[in-house]
Structures are given as structure tokens and as C-alpha cells.
């Protein structure tokens, strides 16, 4: 049987954390799906840990992985992990982030001091005992192949030993592995895991989806927004009073220097992500900057918001990468005392031009943002094109090696 026919005979399930609302994870599923279609091997399903329908916010109708694996299908299986910081996501965090936000406080308060009940609850929520459930374990059926695309695991050396051992064993058993930063690559190589380096899949958003994003903007997704604005985002962990005071002062400095407005957006509505109430508290502290909250959580609306901005600053790695893909200035924001390297700094150090600011804490945000805004537009365009090419080539090389 010829190679193309063999590939067509396989079923390909794209797996990831797109069973909850997170900017990057929702985008990964679309990128993987588009790249597979280009190769003539379209995905036969999209899977998370739980069945969810996120089409209302431009995601996918996602099946539980256990359901797809149990489906009657004689074709050999390829499970493609679509990307993200999945190597260090433990079962507790994975289970909580699948809750509705209003369920989190009481659930966490009840379970945190009850380890036996917590273990049982996690097992019921996730359907198994995996310590790192987004690194799926697939029964060694004939022809089954597992592929990891541009995975992240910056904190793998800091994880519990049992979780780390489980992750490394699954990576060793995979048909092919690529990771998105050198920190993760070094962790895996030190453990004897073969892996290659490839840019995060979201670098392809402009190449693959600029038409979709432009259509969404033309349909009114950005109606009422100012002509010149910065796209600003930060997670709920920045919500203490001291940090908000610092952020307000720094953003006032940027607004005074540029005349830009601020548009605040949520890059994730899943538990432990972004909180609109924190943004409202920031707005009450601003003295010079004009700010508004972008209400939509739809993926293509968020991409349109970033693409139409003058630049991005925030804690979401994928807010930064989407800005980079559209050749815009960008700065990553870290909480005070953040452990280094972070996923934001690791990716910036690996892929960004030396002149582009990386990840900074709140007190350095104004200087870093103004430095990013001063960079030549041609540098940003050339870099975006080069990284998109590397990303596409890395994906194709990974699948060619595995299939």
C-alpha cells in the first residue's frame, strides 16, 4: 500500500485541553485541524478529558477521549496532542478547570483538606487515575501511534517525582515528540527522551486564519472600539491591590506617551484564568489611560481584537504569540515572584528577536511596552514570516516521522 493510502487509512484524533475555555487551547485544535486537512489526512475527531461543546465561542464539539478510544473502528489510531503546557498539568488542576466557575469555590474548599475524597472525585471527573491526564495513555493496540506537537513542560523538573516519571514514560513510548522551548527540550534530553524543537502552533494563526479573522472584524466584532489601542490582558493572580496599583501606574505612563487607549480582554474563562472583576478594579485606578472591557469570549473575536491593536501586553502566552503572528509589538507580564524560567520567558528566549522585550513584572511594564512599540515594523513582519515557516515545517516533519 502506498504511503498516502496508508495515511488515509488511519483515524487521527486531535487531543488537548480544548474541553475548556482557554485562548491558546481553543486555537490549537483549529491549527491542527487545518494542517491535517492540508496534508490530506483530516482529523476524525477532537477529544479532551470531558465531552464539551464550545462551538458557541468558536471552539469544537469535543468528545471525551475515553469515548473516542472505545469507538468501534478497525482503522489504526493516531492520537495527536495538539500542543500547550500539557506535560505539567496535574489531575487536580485538570479536573477543577473543567468545572463551571461558580462551582469552584465550594468544591475546592470542601476537597482541599480531604485527600481521600479528593482522589475519588478526580477519578470520577477524569475517568481514571492518571497523574498527568493530558499526556494520554493509549492501550498498545496494533498500529496505535501517539504524537506530541510543540508541547510545553517548563516546570517538569519541579513536578512531583511520580508525575514526572509518568510523563517521561509516555513520551518515551510516543512515535514522535516536539517541544516548544529549549527548557523543556533540555528536561527531556536529560531524561533520555528523544524530541525535536518546534515553534508553538499558534504562530500559524495569521497564515491559516487571517481571512476568518478579517471576516469576523468586518461583521462588527470590533464595533465601538477606538482606532488606536493596546490589547491588554492579565489573569486573576494579578488581582491584589498592590499589583493593580502598579499596573495602573504603568499603563497610565504608556497611555501618556502614546495616546493609545486600552482594551482589556479575557484570554480564558475557565477556572483559575481571567476575571472581569479584576479588570474593573484596574479601571478604577487608572488616571490618564482610557480603558474598556471587551466582552466577547469567542476565539475569532479575540484574535480580531489582537490583530487590530497597536500591540499586546499581558500574561497569556498566546495573546503574545497571536500578536507576534500578526507582526505586532508584544510584552509578556509575569506576577511578582514568578518562578523562572516561566513558559512565557522560555518561549520568548527561544523564538523572539533579541530586541523584543520578553517577560517582565508589573513595575517594568511601561518601559518594556514602549521599547517594543519602537521596534521597526519590517523586523516584526520578517520575523513573523520566518516563524510561521518554521512552525509549518516542524509540524510536517513531526508527522512524516511518525506516520
Amino acid at each position: 500500500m502506498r504511503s498516502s493510502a496508508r495515511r488515509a487509512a488511519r483515524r487521527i484524533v486531535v487531543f488537548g485541553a480544548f474541553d475548556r475555555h482557554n485562548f491558546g487551547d481553543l486555537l490549537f485544535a483549529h491549527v491542527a485541524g487545518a494542517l491535517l486537512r492540508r496534508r490530506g489526512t483530516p482529523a476524525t475527531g477532537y477529544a479532551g478529558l470531558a465531552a464539551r461543546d464550545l462551538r458557541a465561542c468558536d471552539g469544537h464539539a469535543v468528545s471525551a477521549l475515553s469515548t473516542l478510544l472505545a469507538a468501534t473502528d478497525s482503522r489504526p489510531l493516531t492520537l495527536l496532542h495538539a500542543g500547550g503546557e500539557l506535560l505539567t498539568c496535574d489531575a487536580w488542576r485538570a479536573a477543577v478547570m473543567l468545572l463551571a466557575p461558580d462551582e469552584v469555590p465550594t468544591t475546592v474548599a470542601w476537597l482541599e483538606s480531604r485527600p481521600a475524597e479528593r482522589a475519588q472525585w478526580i477519578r470520577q471527573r477524569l475517568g481514571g487515575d492518571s497523574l498527568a491526564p493530558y499526556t494520554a495513555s493509549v492501550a498498545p493496540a496494533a498500529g496505535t501511534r501517539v504524537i506530541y506537537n510543540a508541547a510545553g513542560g517548563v516546570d517538569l523538573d519541579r513536578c512531583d517525582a511520580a508525575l514526572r516519571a509518568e510523563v517521561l514514560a509516555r513520551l518515551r513510548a510516543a512515535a514522535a515528540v516536539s517541544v516548544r522551548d529549549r527548557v523543556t527540550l533540555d528536561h527531556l534530553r536529560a531524561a533520555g527522551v528523544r524530541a525535536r524543537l518546534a515553534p508553538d502552533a499558534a504562530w500559524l494563526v495569521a497564515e491559516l486564519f487571517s481571512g476568518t479573522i478579517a471576516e469576523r472584524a468586518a461583521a462588527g466584532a470590533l464595533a465601538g472600539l477606538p482606532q488606536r489601542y493596546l490589547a491588554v490582558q492579565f489573569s486573576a493572580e494579578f488581582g491584589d491591590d498592590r499589583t493593580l496599583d502598579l499596573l495602573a501606574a504603568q499603563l497610565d505612563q504608556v497611555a501618556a506617551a502614546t495616546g493609545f487607549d486600552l482594551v482589556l480582554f479575557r484570554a480564558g474563562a475557565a477556572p483559575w484564568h481571567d476575571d472581569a472583576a479584576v479588570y474593573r478594579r484596574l479601571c478604577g485606578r487608572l488616571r490618564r489611560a482610557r480603558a474598556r472591557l471587551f466582552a466577547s469570549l469567542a476565539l475569532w473575536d479575540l484574535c480580531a481584537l489582537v490583530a487590530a491593536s497597536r500591540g499586546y501586553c499581558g500574561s497569556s502566552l498566546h495573546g503574545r504569540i497571536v500578536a507576534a503572528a500578526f507582526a505586532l509589538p508584544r510584552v509578556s507580564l509575569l506576577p511578582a515572584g514568578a518562578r523562572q524560567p516561566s513558559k512565557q520567558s522560555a518561549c520568548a528566549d527561544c523564538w523572539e528577536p533579541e530586541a523584543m522585550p520578553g517577560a517582565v513584572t508589573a513595575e517594568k511594564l511601561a518601559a518594556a511596552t514602549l521599547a517594543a512599540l519602537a521596534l521597526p515594523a519590517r523586523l516584526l513582519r520578517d520575523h513573523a514570516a520566518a516563524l510561521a515557516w518554521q512552525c509549518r515545517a516542524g509540524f510536517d516533519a513531526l508527522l512524516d516521522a511518525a506516520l
Side-chain angles (χ1 to χ4, degrees):
M1 186 183 294
R2 295 189 307 174
S3 175
S4 59
R6 287 198 305 271
R7 292 176 181 178
R10 302 190 68 84
R11 59 180 174 127
I12 301 179
V13 171
V14 180
F15 176 55
F18 25 86
D19 46 13
R20 57 190 174 87
H21 187 281
N22 176 267
F23 191 29
D25 292 308
L26 295 178
L27 191 52
F28 289 150
H30 283 285
V31 172
L35 291 175
L36 288 169
R37 288 192 296 273
R38 277 189 174 185
R39 293 173 59 89
T41 55
T44 54
Y46 294 86
L49 297 177
R52 295 286 189 273
D53 189 346
L54 292 172
R55 287 176 292 183
C57 54
D58 299 330
H60 283 75
V62 179
S63 301
L65 180 62
S66 57
T67 301
L68 286 181
L69 294 180
T72 302
D73 195 320
S74 61
R75 292 174 295 171
L77 169 69
T78 294
L79 185 66
L80 173 62
H81 289 71
E85 202 74 2
L86 54 85
L87 303 183
T88 54
C89 182
D90 62 39
W92 169 241
R93 284 188 294 161
V96 171
M97 287 189 291
L98 289 171
L99 289 170
D102 59 357
E103 296 177 314
V104 173
T106 54
T107 302
V108 170
W110 172 255
L111 293 173
E112 276 189 321
S113 61
R114 295 172 171 83
E117 289 90 340
R118 183 167 104 168
Q120 182 180 8
W121 178 80
I122 292 171
R123 191 178 302 113
Q124 291 172 341
R125 292 283 299 177
L126 303 183
D129 295 312
S130 177
L131 301 176
Y134 283 112
T135 60
S137 177
V138 178
T144 297
R145 294 172 184 171
V146 180
I147 305 171
Y148 288 81
N149 179 54
V154 167
D155 287 334
L156 192 59
D157 63 329
R158 302 168 183 152
C159 290
D160 175 80
L163 182 148
R164 186 167 60 252
E166 179 178 287
V167 169
L168 293 172
R170 290 177 179 176
L171 293 173
R172 291 189 187 101
V177 177
S178 66
V179 295
R180 67 184 181 185
D181 60 79
R182 291 191 183 91
V183 176
T184 303
L185 185 66
D186 288 346
H187 291 333
L188 300 192
R189 285 180 172 173
V193 176
R194 296 180 61 184
R196 65 187 73 201
L197 190 65
D200 185 286
W203 276 96
L204 284 169
V205 61
E207 177 179 311
L208 295 173
F209 301 111
S210 58
T212 300
I213 293 165
E215 289 173 4
R216 187 61 62 88
L222 308 183
L225 294 188
Q227 288 190 336
R228 303 192 310 156
Y229 64 88
L230 291 177
V232 177
Q233 172 276 336
F234 50 88
S235 60
E237 64 186 322
F238 293 84
D240 63 278
D241 288 336
R242 178 181 180 278
T243 299
L244 289 177
D245 287 342
L246 283 171
L247 285 173
Q250 294 286 303
L251 291 169
D252 275 334
Q253 287 184 42
V254 174
T258 63
F260 297 163
D261 288 2
L262 310 176
V263 178
L264 309 169
F265 71 96
R266 285 191 290 164
W272 295 340
H273 284 67
D274 302 352
D275 186 345
V278 173
Y279 288 157
R280 288 191 285 270
R281 289 169 55 214
L282 172 77
C283 291
R285 289 167 160 81
L286 294 169
R287 296 294 175 263
R288 303 192 64 173
R290 298 180 299 273
R292 66 187 68 193
L293 177 61
F294 190 65
S296 178
L297 292 170
L299 174 64
W300 303 128
D301 291 356
L302 297 177
C303 288
L305 171 73
V306 174
S309 74
R310 299 303 177 101
Y312 165 82
C313 55
S315 61
S316 165
L317 174 59
H318 290 96
R320 180 189 184 108
I321 291 175
V322 170
F326 283 96
L328 295 169
R330 58 269 185 186
V331 174
S332 290
L333 181 63
L334 294 179
R339 293 189 299 185
Q340 289 290 354
S342 65
K343 66 180 182 181
Q344 294 90 340
S345 62
C347 285
D349 291 346
C350 190
W351 301 110
E352 289 280 38
E354 186 175 349
M356 180 66 67
V360 300
T361 51
E363 62 269 18
K364 299 179 180 178
L365 183 61
T369 301
L370 293 174
L373 289 167
L375 292 176
R378 182 173 180 177
L379 169 68
L380 306 188
R381 289 194 301 270
D382 289 349
H383 187 70
L387 262 291
W389 182 90
Q390 286 182 265
C391 188
R392 186 174 60 254
F395 183 88
D396 284 338
L398 183 74
L399 266 69
D400 287 343
L403 301 179

